[in-house]
Amino acid sequence: MSPAGSFAPAASRSADLLVVGSMLSDVGLVRSINEDSVTFVVPAEGKDPENRSGILLVADGMGGHSAGEVASALAAEVVRRCFFELNGAVPDILATAFAVANKAIFDYGQSHPECAGMGTTCTALAIRSDKIWLGHVGDSRAYLLRNGELRQLSEDQTLVAKMVREGTMTPAEARTSEHNNIILQALGTAPEVNPDIWDDGLSLAAGDILVLCTDGLHGLVDDVVIAEVAGRYAPAEACQELIRHALQAGGHDNVSVGIFRAIAPPDPTSRAARDTRRIPAMSADADGGSTDRSTRQISAFEGQR
């Protein structure tokens, strides 16, 4: 498949674009375990533009007890590793990565009875040079905010979304349907999976903003608000603000979001000023962990590739 719909022209295209951003995940106000997983690796600055790659990913696990947490963590780790360890065209790599992740989760559930039936959504944006490709299973989402217009890149694989596409349910009916939580496929719930994967990449332009999130956000926060917050704040602040909106709206699910901006490369003469950057300190408890147990800032794989 290819990017659906028409997009405003990608002005100021450049293979030297930098991608900067942040991801946050919050347990929410109702659940005791966070079954979401997120990971990202941004393209390295200074490498050959044609070989610069990155990946942005959110996964929303399900399965009871801690099984959902296991499933989403497996998806994030396997897809990330496959993307950087395999060679070839991006769509082929994504297809293999999703297939390997699906098998890893399914096999783990088969060999661990307490995790039987576990699964996870998985929405990933792969970056190579100045283009992005989507890999997607489930109902987490990826968006592009360009010139003030927010476009959903992924297609919800849910029963109500399918009914809306077929014309048997209106969008208004879908928003209040009791079947909102029925997804049509997930990684790990069956021996095989059929992910949505773009055959063609979508060109990025300076100023573009990419948003990835689980349904704990988009199910409670309107797209208009997502666009306004993502466009107004720096990525880390925007993630915090969107999670705040989700919690204010009830926070009945885990909430995860990532926001990334494509920016033009700075003037080389300013490199000296960029070599040093200030990292704000995070408050920690006696064990060195965050004093806020419910929200975590993702840093595990932020090292540039």
Side-chain angles (χ1 to χ4, degrees), residues 212-285:
L212 295 92
C213 64
T214 57
D215 67 337
L217 179 72
H218 71 72
L220 293 174
V221 181
D222 191 83
D223 282 3
V224 173
V225 177
I226 293 176
E228 192 275 332
V229 172
R232 173 183 292 187
Y233 298 99
E237 295 174 279
C239 289
Q240 294 169 348
E241 185 69 8
L242 286 173
I243 285 180
R244 184 183 68 80
H245 276 281
L247 298 182
Q248 286 185 337
H252 57 70
D253 198 356
N254 307 143
V255 189
S256 296
V257 59
I259 297 179
F260 298 85
R261 290 177 178 264
I263 61 175
D267 186 332
T269 59
S270 67
R271 176 170 296 277
R274 292 187 290 108
D275 283 344
T276 303
R277 57 181 178 145
R278 179 178 177 273
I279 306 297
M282 296 182 67
S283 58
D285 56 24

Side-chain angles (χ1 to χ4, degrees), residues 10-284:
S12 304
R13 280 185 55 188
S14 170
D16 295 324
L17 284 175
L18 303 179
V19 176
V20 298
S22 182
M23 286 186 130
L24 286 178
S25 188
D26 191 280
V27 71
L29 300 177
V30 175
R31 302 191 177 187
S32 59
I33 296 175
N34 191 344
E35 295 186 308
D36 289 356
S37 290
V38 302
T39 188
F40 71 94
V41 181
V42 296
E45 182 181 353
K47 292 184 67 174
D48 174 8
E50 295 303 318
N51 294 317
R52 294 169 62 238
S53 298
I55 194 159
L56 323 172
L57 182 151
V58 295
D60 179 358
M62 62 205 78
H65 300 294
S66 61
E69 184 179 22
V70 173
S72 66
L74 276 172
E77 173 67 6
V78 171
V79 172
R80 182 191 63 84
R81 286 176 63 94
C82 285
F83 181 72
F84 288 109
E85 292 176 1
L86 299 177
N87 296 316
V90 173
D92 295 336
I93 295 174
L94 284 176
T96 300
F98 272 66
V100 173
N102 184 72
K103 186 178 188 304
I105 298 165
F106 182 79
D107 289 351
Y108 190 96
Q110 293 292 103
S111 60
H112 295 76
E114 70 278 10
C115 294
M118 72 177 181
T120 183
T121 71
C122 186
T123 300
L125 289 175
I127 307 168
R128 182 173 290 178
S129 186
D130 68 334
K131 292 184 177 181
I132 57 170
W133 284 259
L134 174 75
H136 171 69
V137 169
D139 66 347
S140 296
R141 288 183 180 177
Y143 297 91
L144 169 66
L145 179 62
R146 174 177 287 171
N147 299 328
E149 179 185 4
L150 186 73
R151 295 291 301 273
Q152 186 176 332
L153 302 178
S154 56
E155 192 172 82
D156 295 346
Q157 296 178 351
T158 63
L159 177 61
V160 295
K162 182 174 183 287
M163 294 174 69
V164 170
R165 289 192 292 268
E166 293 174 344
T168 58
M169 179 180 285
T170 68
E173 291 171 335
R175 282 192 290 271
T176 58
S177 172
E178 61 182 6
H179 303 301
N180 259 321
N181 63 340
I182 300 177
I183 64 174
L184 301 180
Q185 66 170 348
L187 289 183
T189 57
E192 296 184 358
V193 69
N194 184 30
D196 290 341
I197 294 177
W198 284 355
D199 296 319
D200 302 312
L202 177 66
S203 296
L204 289 177
D208 283 350
I209 298 174
L210 302 170
V211 181
L212 295 92
C213 64
T214 57
D215 67 337
L217 179 72
H218 71 72
L220 293 174
V221 181
D222 191 83
D223 282 3
V224 173
V225 177
I226 293 176
E228 192 275 332
V229 172
R232 173 183 292 187
Y233 298 99
E237 295 174 279
C239 289
Q240 294 169 348
E241 185 69 8
L242 286 173
I243 285 180
R244 184 183 68 80
H245 276 281
L247 298 182
Q248 286 185 337
H252 57 70
D253 198 356
N254 307 143
V255 189
S256 296
V257 59
I259 297 179
F260 298 85
R261 290 177 178 264
I263 61 175
D267 186 332
T269 59
S270 67
R271 176 170 296 277
R274 292 187 290 108
D275 283 344
T276 303
R277 57 181 178 145
R278 179 178 177 273
I279 306 297
M282 296 182 67
S283 58

